[in-house]
Each structure stands twice: as C-alpha cells, then as structure tokens.
Amino acid sequence: ILYQIETRQGNLDESIRITSEALEHYKADKSLKFQALAYGSLGNAYYRKGLYPKALENYIAAIKLYEELGNKSGMANNTGNI
C-alpha cells in the first residue's frame, strides 16, 4: 500500500524502491501471487516514468506468473497495460 501512496504522490523512484524490496521478500517466500502483483506495480511505475522497456519487462514477468497461477484476470490486466 505504501508504494501506491508514493506513486500517487509522484514519488516514482521511492515507489520503485519499496516495491523492489517487497518483490525480493516475495521471491524468498515463493509467493507467486504477490510477486505478480509487485511486477505489475513496477511496470506501472516505470511506465509513468516513461521507461517503457522496463515497464514492458515487468508486465511480461507479471503475465507469466499469472499464467502459472491460472489467474486470467491478472493476465488480462497486465496485457492491457502493454
């Protein structure tokens, strides 16, 4: 939730930092759902910064995880962001 606040306030670098740290914890916990959410959030932040290749990289990572989870809604949401 903190990353959302930072993103909405335009603090994109801080949002990316917070989300990247969270992603590392989710990887350690092997929490695919939260990894996918984090990748999607990173994609959104990079998109807002105009870093489109990084945004695409993160959206694709989220889509792959959602596919693995069988989460069609997550896949569709991130595909729509591309």
Side-chain angles (χ1 to χ4, degrees):
I1 302 231
L2 184 57
Y3 78 90
Q4 290 175 332
I5 293 168
E6 295 295 343
T7 299
R8 288 184 187 139
Q9 292 179 347
N11 301 326
L12 299 174
D13 290 331
E14 184 64 9
S15 176
I16 290 168
R17 184 191 68 74
I18 291 166
T19 306
S20 295
E21 286 180 11
L23 177 59
E24 293 309 312
H25 291 289
Y26 301 146
K27 286 179 179 179
D29 291 342
K30 299 183 187 212
S31 174
L32 298 183
K33 176 184 175 183
F34 289 110
Q35 287 178 51
L37 287 168
Y39 279 122
S41 297
L42 285 169
N44 291 337
Y46 283 121
Y47 180 86
R48 289 189 63 187
K49 282 187 63 119
L51 299 172
Y52 304 120
K54 282 292 272 186
L56 179 61
E57 174 185 320
N58 283 277
Y59 289 140
I60 290 171
I63 291 166
K64 288 179 180 179
L65 288 170
Y66 281 126
E67 184 175 26
E68 189 175 335
L69 292 165
N71 184 329
K72 292 181 181 179
S73 176
M75 290 170 58
N77 287 337
N78 282 275
T79 299
N81 288 335
I82 294 176

